[in-house]
Amino acid sequence: QVHLQQSGPGLVKPSQTLSLTCAISGDSISNNLVAWNWIRQSPSRGLEWLGRTYYTSKWNNDYAESFKSRITYNPDTSKNQVSLQLDSVTPEDTAVYYCARQFDSYFGYWGQGTLVTVSS
Amino acid sequence: IVMTQSPDSLAVSLGERATINCKSSQSVLVSSSNKNSLTWFQQKPGQPPKVLIYWASTRESGVPDRFSGSGSATDFTLTISSLQAEDVAVYYCQQYYSSPYTFGQGTRLEIK
């Protein structure tokens, strides 16, 4: 059974970097049939896809255009986890952040969600 | 691709049918496979979205058969044939035809 466990701070100061980790069990992050996505949800923006990372013969990233300048995904095969870094956050980045596994194209497994508040 | 759901909210009596619509701004039909790249999710408070239907009409394992999905290209429907109390939730459609993957705004389903 695939399980995604998220971790990371719930409070980030404006202009700093948001960092979250998604630890995967029951699958390998290097599985070339799978992509690992980050999605966030806020009352003002609804569900918003941030991007994904996936392994073919190398790691590939596919970021939503509006985040490209300040988002980074870091896969860690030794820990079987993927991490999200979002730079220069503002209060508008306050949201619940989810990681999700994409297999056969659809998002079948999700992490439990992490509420991140951007505030000084 | 913009996903638009209707209605925004819906109140249905227990045992009655509930229907939620989703329209995409362009076709999400994959011509090579003749599959529509659309998922329906159910979300309850404090929980992540849960897949009900993928490829527009394939029910996820363990999902009750009162949930069904239909439609093609740009117009899709989620039907709950006989509403149960545990179906109170917000429902979302999502396209995975092309990135950026996009979601509908959600439909809140309540008991009348």
Side-chain angles (χ1 to χ4, degrees), chain A:
Chain A
Q1 181 75 353
V2 177
H3 183 70
L4 283 65
Q5 183 67 39
Q6 297 177 218
S7 60
L11 181 64
V12 182
K13 289 183 166 49
S15 80
Q16 295 193 343
T17 296
L18 179 160
S19 296
L20 296 174
T21 298
C22 179
I24 291 95
S25 57
D27 196 0
S28 168
I29 65 168
S30 303
N31 183 345
N32 59 11
L33 299 177
V34 168
W36 305 97
N37 292 258
W38 286 95
I39 299 107
R40 71 182 187 182
Q41 184 173 30
S42 64
S44 59
R45 296 175 182 266
L47 285 160
E48 189 174 25
W49 179 78
L50 304 180
R52 62 178 185 161
T53 188
Y54 57 97
Y55 185 78
T56 51
S57 54
K58 63 179 176 67
W59 285 99
N60 305 274
N61 296 315
D62 180 14
Y63 299 134
E65 192 65 36
S66 55
F67 297 100
K68 271 184 180 175
S69 63
R70 60 189 187 107
I71 194 171
T72 307
Y73 283 5
N74 291 307
D76 184 340
T77 54
S78 66
K79 295 180 179 178
N80 207 44
Q81 63 187 31
V82 293
S83 62
L84 162 71
Q85 282 187 206
L86 187 65
D87 298 328
S88 306
V89 297
T90 72
E92 290 194 349
D93 293 310
T94 294
V96 177
Y97 287 75
Y98 295 100
C99 57
R101 174 184 181 264
Q102 183 181 14
F103 173 75
D104 191 23
S105 298
Y106 71 98
F107 296 5
Y109 289 94
W110 292 60
Q112 80 276 20
T114 303
L115 173 60
V116 179
T117 301
V118 179
S119 174
S120 53

Side-chain angles (χ1 to χ4, degrees), chain A residues 106-107, chain B residues 37-41 51 53-56 92-94 96:
Chain A
Y106 71 98
F107 296 5
Chain B
S37 302
L38 184 113
T39 300
W40 286 101
F41 292 99
V51 174
I53 304 285
Y54 58 95
W55 296 122
Y92 296 93
C93 60
Q94 182 224 354
Y96 48 91

Side-chain angles (χ1 to χ4, degrees), chain B residues 67-90:
Chain B
F67 292 92
S68 63
S70 63
S72 186
T74 61
D75 291 278
F76 300 92
T77 300
L78 173 70
T79 301
I80 307 172
S81 60
S82 176
L83 189 71
Q84 305 299 303
E86 61 265 31
D87 300 334
V88 170
V90 180

